[in-house]
Amino acid sequence: MLGVLKRLRLRLRRRRLQLRALRKLAELSVRQDRTADTSPEDILLFATVRNEADRLPYFFDYYRRLGVDRFFFVDNGSDDGTREWLEAQPDTSVWTTTASYKRARFGCDWINGLLARHGRGHWVLVVDVDEFLVYPHSDVRPLRALTEWLDASAVKSFAAMLVDMYSTRPIEEARYTPGQNPFEVLDHFDSGNYSIKRDWTHDGLWIQGGPRMRVLFDESPDQAPALNKIPLVKWSRGTVYLSSTHSLLPRGLNRVYDEWGGEKPSGCLLHAKFLNLLTDKAEEEMLRRQHYAGSREYIAYRARLGQGRSLQNEWSVRYRGWRQLEQLGLMSSGGWI
C-alpha cells in the first residue's frame, strides 16, 4: 500500500502536470481544425511529429484500417512537407509549434493539453509515427471490438510492450521506400532477453531489453530505454501522462497486470525505428539535443551507424504475427477471446 503522504504528492503532481499542459497549449497554433467533426464514439489518435513525411502514408493507412476515426497531430517545426501532408487529410486536425520539444517534456505537455481538451470520454491511442499497435486477433478484429470489450469489462487502459524490429542487414542498409510497410524491411526481433520489474510508486511495470539494451547500452544496461507503454486509454477528466506513454496518473491506470494470478489482455507496439532513415535523424538530433537525457540514445545510434553490423544475434527470430508474440509471452489475450 502507498502511504498517505506519497498519495498526496502524486495527487499534487497530477494537478501540476494538468495545469502545465493547459499553459503549454498556448505554444500551439491551429493549422487545420476538424475537431467539430468528432463523434462521441470515435476512437482518436494523438501524436507529435517532426520531419516524418516518408512514414506518414503507411502510418495512416495502418491505423485507419485498424479502426482509428480521427487523428490529432502536433507538428514541431517540420520542413519536409509533413505539415502540408497532414493538413490535406480529411480526418486530421493539425497544430504547429516551433517551441522546444524538450521543454514541453518531450512533447508530453502538448499531448496532455490536447487530450484534456479533445480526448475526454473517448478511447484514445497515443503513439509515435514509428509505432504500430498489434493486439490479440488484430488481424481479424478491429480496434473497436477491443475497446468495447474493455468497456464491458470496466478496464480503462491497455498496455503494449515496445518490440524493436530490425533487419538482418546493417541499419544504414535497411532501405525504406516512402509509403512502404516498414516490416517488409524490419522483419526480425528479439524473442527473449527482456527484464521486468515492478514500479511500486506508480503501480506499474518497468520493462527493458531487446537490441537497444544489448547493443547500444551494453555497458550501461540500466540506462536502456523503457519498453513498457500504455498507449490505449479511456480518457477522462483528471487523467494525465507522466512521461511519454510509460505511465499515467491516476496510478490505477498503470495496473495493467493481474496480481492475483490471472492475466489482463495486452499487446505490442512494433517499433520501426531501425531503418536507413535513422542516419539523417540521428545527425539532426545530435544538433538539436531535444531528446531525453541529453539525447544519449541518439548519441548511441550515431556511434553504431556506419559500422556495417546488423542487430541480429542468437535471440533473433523472424516476425510471423501476434500469435507468435503471445506464445513468446510478450503479449496476452487475457480474458478476451
Side-chain angles (χ1 to χ4, degrees), residues 257-313:
Y257 52 88
D258 190 338
E259 57 189 343
W260 303 110
E263 282 189 309
K264 288 187 176 182
S266 63
C268 287
L269 284 170
L270 303 186
H271 195 202
K273 180 176 285 292
F274 294 114
L275 295 163
N276 66 310
L277 305 176
L278 184 58
T279 302
D280 291 339
K281 191 74 171 177
E283 291 297 330
E284 180 186 25
E285 295 307 328
M286 285 297 298
L287 295 174
R288 295 178 70 235
R289 294 297 177 107
Q290 288 290 298
H291 282 267
Y292 180 74
S295 296
R296 69 185 178 201
E297 189 173 341
Y298 281 94
I299 293 172
Y301 292 151
R302 193 173 72 164
R304 176 75 179 185
L305 291 166
Q307 294 183 359
R309 295 162 55 198
S310 77
L311 296 172
Q312 188 178 19
N313 81 338

Side-chain angles (χ1 to χ4, degrees), residues 13-28 104-105 107-117 235 239-241:
R13 186 181 182 190
R14 177 173 55 154
R15 185 58 178 161
R16 284 197 298 268
L17 289 175
Q18 288 176 301
L19 293 173
R20 178 187 174 98
L22 292 176
R23 289 197 303 269
K24 285 290 184 176
L25 282 177
E27 296 180 349
L28 305 182
R105 294 193 314 116
C108 197
D109 290 332
W110 299 327
I111 294 299
N112 273 333
L114 292 179
L115 285 165
R117 183 165 291 178
W235 208 259
T239 305
V240 65
Y241 274 113

Side-chain angles (χ1 to χ4, degrees), residues 36-106:
D37 298 334
T38 304
S39 299
E41 70 278 4
D42 281 350
I43 298 173
L44 314 180
L45 184 150
F46 291 76
T48 301
V49 67
R50 176 182 167 84
N51 288 344
E52 296 287 10
D54 288 349
R55 293 182 180 272
L56 289 174
Y58 182 78
F59 177 88
F60 269 73
D61 181 60
Y62 183 89
Y63 280 108
R64 282 168 177 156
R65 285 188 287 108
L66 205 63
V68 170
D69 298 294
R70 297 285 165 187
F71 296 82
F72 296 71
F73 266 79
V74 176
D75 180 84
N76 186 203
S78 293
D79 57 13
D80 70 339
T82 289
R83 175 179 57 78
E84 292 82 357
W85 193 94
L86 290 170
E87 289 175 7
Q89 304 310 302
D91 51 4
T92 305
S93 294
V94 184
W95 291 260
T96 62
T97 182
T98 56
S100 171
Y101 178 75
K102 181 178 181 179
R103 291 178 182 174
R105 294 193 314 116
F106 313 105

